[in-house]
Amino acid sequence: MKSIGFLSFGHWSPSARSATRSAADVLLQSIDLAVAAEELGADGAYFRVHHFARQLASPFPLLAAVGARTRRIEIGTGVIDMRYENPHYMVEDAGSADLISGGRLQLGLSRGSPEQVIDGWRHFGHLPRPGESDADMGRRHTETFLDLLRGEGFAEPNPRPMFPNPPGLLRLEPHSDGLRERIWWGSASDATAVWAAQQGMNLQSSTLKADETGEPFHVQQARQIRAYRAAFEAAGHQRRPRVSVSRSIFAIVNDLDRAYFGGDTSHDQVGVIDNMRAVFGRSYAAEPDRLVDELRRDEAIREADTLLLTVPNQLGVAYNTHVIEAILTHVAPALGWR
């Protein structure tokens, strides 16, 4: 069995060809798509977070709204850029959204990706400490967030409070038990995957990775997953971690699919992103029988317990519902995922 969800980047554009022409469109359609995916039997609704862009940004109002409209599906991010986050405020937002959903939040965090603006986190009031890089700052924010999620008191109570306090040091509220074990780290390198394991986080591995060996993307990603699991066990954590990979996968089952994706001959690509040589994984688009054969050869998908399908959200809720349903119906059973 494999958990299967969708990942939406939440693009919107005023173009006449886009089904999401405003921020309101993409937010409301994201909720509708999560509801539809749950009805189809999908396991997760995940959303990307980008700042200063015509995409989804502040995740917690959306996560809370999805949580209020659904009952079963996991709700998550992939990923929140921790360079921008105040960990204390984020604990309150995350606790609230998790309680609204009944404990279904799966938060993916990371150092972040290339930005729309120069050092955008500075506009949010965050500066690296002396000798610290922005990536170091993101990991420091993450470590603080993880520590606060444990729910241990740390703040000295006012001797004359407005409202009665429980005894002892106070923690941030609302606190949601169990959320600490549902935090994921989006890792592009083997080293940060090992760091995530040491911190006791789950692992999200995306459609790009640092090119560390020159091997095909899925081979390097599978090796990263195995290194992560070994480090998680070596750290002595007392649970089995989860691992997700993201893929663009389209089962061509009608003429509209063929028009959109029938000419796809995608393959791995190598490029430079944030001064890092990276390998970008291919997309998959084919008739179901051929698609099944191609996916069987993807080592990283075999290693992962969770698969996130990146969806073309600007094509609208109805078409993306079809994309998800085609995978769940025509591909997942043949691969033993369901």
Side-chain angles (χ1 to χ4, degrees), residues 277-315:
R277 177 183 167 89
V279 55
F280 298 79
R282 57 164 294 186
S283 298
Y284 291 95
E287 286 72 18
D289 289 348
R290 180 180 148 206
L291 197 55
V292 167
D293 289 340
E294 292 178 350
L295 292 172
R296 278 199 178 106
R297 295 193 288 270
D298 191 310
E299 292 186 20
I301 291 180
R302 290 204 305 268
E303 288 283 347
D305 56 75
T306 300
L307 173 64
L308 301 182
L309 306 170
T310 60
V311 293
N313 75 278
Q314 285 183 284
L315 294 180

Side-chain angles (χ1 to χ4, degrees), residues 179-230:
L179 180 56
R180 172 63 178 81
E181 294 189 350
R182 287 180 273 115
I183 306 301
W184 306 59
W185 183 256
S187 176
S189 70
D190 291 358
T192 53
V194 168
W195 174 81
Q198 293 166 346
Q199 300 299 316
M201 289 185 281
N202 302 307
L203 177 68
Q204 286 184 343
S205 198
S206 185
T207 52
L208 69 87
K209 185 189 175 298
D211 187 9
E212 300 180 76
T213 66
E215 296 171 292
F217 167 75
H218 71 102
V219 174
Q220 293 195 53
Q221 193 176 49
R223 180 177 290 110
Q224 178 197 49
I225 292 170
R226 289 190 288 269
Y228 161 80
R229 286 197 173 118

